Amino acid sequence: MNRAHNFGAGPGSVPDEVLEQVQKELLDYKGTGKSIMEMSHRGKEFTQVIEEAKADLIKLLAIPDEYDVLFLQGGASALFGGIPMNLCNEQTDTVDFIVTGTWSKTACADSKYFCSPNKVVDMESQKFLTVIPPEQWKFSESPTYVHYCDNETVHGIEMPTDVYKHFPKSALVVCDMSSNFLSRPVDVSKFDLIFAGAQKNAGISGITIVIIKKSLLSKTKPSVPTVFNFLKKSQSNSLDNTPPTFNIYVSGLIFKWILKNGGVEGMEKLRVEKSSKLYDFIDQSNGFYKCFIDKDYRSKMNACFRILDGNQELEDKFAKQALEQKITDIKGHRSVGGLRVSLYNAIKVESVDVLISFMEKFMKENSK
Ligand SMILES: Cc1ncc(COP(=O)(O)O)c(C=O)c1O
């Protein structure tokens, strides 16, 4: 099979087995003579698809009964406005943002139409290479919620799993897990709202998964438009309007694939193995490759690094030659440059081995 070692940051790699199953069922879903894409979202087959996807996700993350799972549209970005729209009463409500990279910065900027954002931490002045100690974070007096991004995809910064323990006890905890969702176990009970665009570890672009504490649903004002309205989404099982049915079907298959491969604990083991191999190699390259991210915050999903402190010519050559080996999508985000290797769940350990062998050869050929 002509499959690339696709280290893209998103839409990212999808497991081969899932794509094969999609292919098998594409023209005739379970003997219906129709594709899942051609069926009513209220019909028997799709009802089973969405119910199973929900049940499997609940199993994967051991989501307690007090939470609901929603499948929304508009990408994770839609929720940057959608969350304050639902959780804040007044424009004057304060929301605390922990700004550690592009995505928390964007969420903070977008929220201002519905609340008064406060930056508890803003790491931009340090180029988003580290995070200052929690003791120095400046929370406001009574924030409605604290928003943070668990894994900053562009900058390669990942938070510790229990970072919420530093937040004010009275504030709700809202977390953007778009790029490390389902890659490690999470204690859902410590969160009030978790959201994730599916296109990294949990599906393809087009849906955003929301896990929300049911007690919060009553906070939504009737004036919130239906497509953004968490209460109406929950009451209709995300079916008040036509959902992206194919995307929910693919996510459902991915949830089953994760369950079959050791659950989120299995994914955690894999990400530790893959990221350790890569970072160890980078750290032992005598400065040929360099990761500038603070070691305590290095992402196990998106490894960002440079060649010879940012030699653009060599980095371009690296990406070009990598492509010849079917190693693809390793250029850093256009806003930061450099190189970025995304190690999402579907990336095999063998692909990381192929990448490291290539990196070793490239280093030998291009060292002075
Ligand atoms: C952490 C994070 N949050 C939010 C987004 C925005 O997601 P979307 O493009 O689905 O709106 C992304 C996209 O890559 C992301 O990585």
Side-chain angles (χ1 to χ4, degrees):
M1 243 200 303
N2 185 31
R3 297 276 290 156
H5 305 285
N6 174 6
F7 293 102
S13 213
V14 174
D16 295 348
E17 296 91 317
V18 168
L19 292 175
E20 278 160 2
Q21 171 120 19
V22 170
Q23 189 179 41
K24 212 168 83 194
E25 295 179 333
L26 199 62
L27 295 184
D28 180 8
Y29 182 75
K30 297 199 171 161
T32 57
K34 291 184 280 185
S35 156
I36 193 76
M37 289 183 276
E38 304 168 297
M39 291 181 196
S40 165
H41 54 295
R42 303 193 193 282
K44 176 164 81 66
E45 288 81 11
F46 186 71
T47 303
Q48 192 180 351
V49 165
I50 194 167
E51 289 299 345
E52 265 184 41
K54 227 170 136 169
D56 286 339
L57 183 61
I58 289 169
K59 208 185 296 170
L60 273 173
L61 289 177
I63 300 175
D65 286 348
E66 301 82 62
Y67 290 77
D68 200 3
V69 174
L70 313 176
F71 297 105
L72 306 187
Q73 301 182 54
S77 304
L79 289 180
F80 295 163
I83 294 169
M85 212 189 280
N86 278 272
L87 299 189
C88 295
N89 272 325
E90 310 284 345
Q91 174 84 49
T92 49
D93 287 4
T94 308
V95 173
D96 278 353
F97 284 87
I98 296 173
V99 178
T100 51
T102 296
W103 296 112
S104 42
K105 181 184 163 184
T106 312
C108 180
D110 266 13
S111 74
K112 66 174 180 291
Y113 305 105
F114 307 101
C115 69
S116 302
N118 165 52
K119 289 182 184 170
V120 173
V121 178
D122 184 356
M123 297 313 304
E124 188 157 22
S125 61
Q126 295 185 47
K127 298 189 176 155
F128 296 126
L129 294 175
T130 184
V131 183
I132 55 169
E135 300 73 50
Q136 294 172 35
W137 298 358
K138 295 193 177 68
F139 291 99
S140 51
E141 206 158 289
S142 51
T144 302
Y145 64 90
V146 178
H147 174 121
Y148 77 101
C149 179
D150 211 25
N151 183 69
E152 285 285 0
T153 324
V154 172
H155 293 91
I157 289 266
E158 189 166 28
M159 294 298 228
T161 33
D162 59 352
V163 70
Y164 47 74
K165 70 183 182 209
H166 303 288
F167 300 174
K169 295 283 164 287
S170 60
L172 303 172
V173 179
V174 169
C175 183
D176 177 355
M177 283 191 196
S178 292
S179 49
N180 62 355
F181 191 58
L182 300 181
S183 75
R184 63 181 179 181
V186 164
D187 182 353
V188 173
S189 73
K190 298 290 193 292
F191 296 83
D192 294 282
L193 191 154
I194 293 170
F195 68 104
Q199 66 269 23
K200 326 286 188 183
N201 281 320
I204 53 175
S205 61
I207 51 169
T208 310
I209 296 157
V210 174
I211 302 170
I212 184 170
K213 217 178 219 172
K214 288 178 188 160
S215 58
L216 288 187
L217 294 167
S218 59
K219 280 174 88 69
T220 299
K221 299 180 291 288
S223 59
V224 175
T226 307
V227 286
F228 292 112
N229 190 304
F230 294 161
L231 178 62
K232 287 185 185 162
K233 286 286 167 193
S234 170
Q235 285 169 339
S236 66
N237 195 23
S238 305
L239 291 168
D240 56 286
N241 72 330
T242 319
T245 50
F246 183 71
N247 306 56
I248 294 171
Y249 157 73
V250 175
S251 285
L253 294 181
I254 290 184
F255 299 159
K256 287 193 190 303
W257 178 85
I258 299 175
L259 280 167
K260 213 174 98 190
N261 287 280
V264 285
E265 292 77 10
M267 297 299 113
E268 162 86 345
K269 253 191 232 151
L270 259 182
R271 69 182 225 138
V272 169
E273 183 179 352
K274 293 182 293 192
S275 60
S276 309
K277 275 189 175 199
L278 181 58
Y279 283 126
D280 286 351
F281 177 74
I282 290 172
D283 290 342
Q284 285 156 23
S285 70
N286 289 323
F288 185 83
Y289 299 105
K290 245 189 220 171
C291 171
F292 290 94
I293 309 296
D294 181 342
K295 278 195 177 166
D296 290 344
Y297 290 94
R298 279 182 179 181
S299 169
K300 293 187 175 61
M301 289 279 101
N302 312 98
C304 296
F305 59 97
R306 309 289 319 226
I307 296 180
L308 293 178
D309 290 332
N311 182 317
Q312 180 83 49
E313 205 179 307
L314 271 187
E315 286 170 353
D316 288 346
K317 186 175 170 191
F318 179 88
K320 190 162 169 267
Q321 290 190 1
L323 199 55
E324 287 159 15
Q325 309 297 315
K326 291 224 214 95
I327 297 169
T328 76
D329 300 83
I330 50 169
K331 280 212 157 179
H333 189 266
R334 62 192 181 283
S335 63
V336 294
L339 298 158
R340 173 178 54 175
V341 168
S342 297
L343 301 169
Y344 297 135
N345 291 346
I347 298 289
K348 299 180 179 115
V349 177
E350 299 88 79
S351 288
V352 178
D353 291 337
V354 169
L355 171 71
I356 292 175
S357 299
F358 167 73
M359 288 171 76
E360 203 164 9
K361 183 166 170 279
F362 187 87
M363 180 170 70
K364 275 192 195 129
E365 288 170 0
N366 293 278
S367 298
K368 292 212 175 82

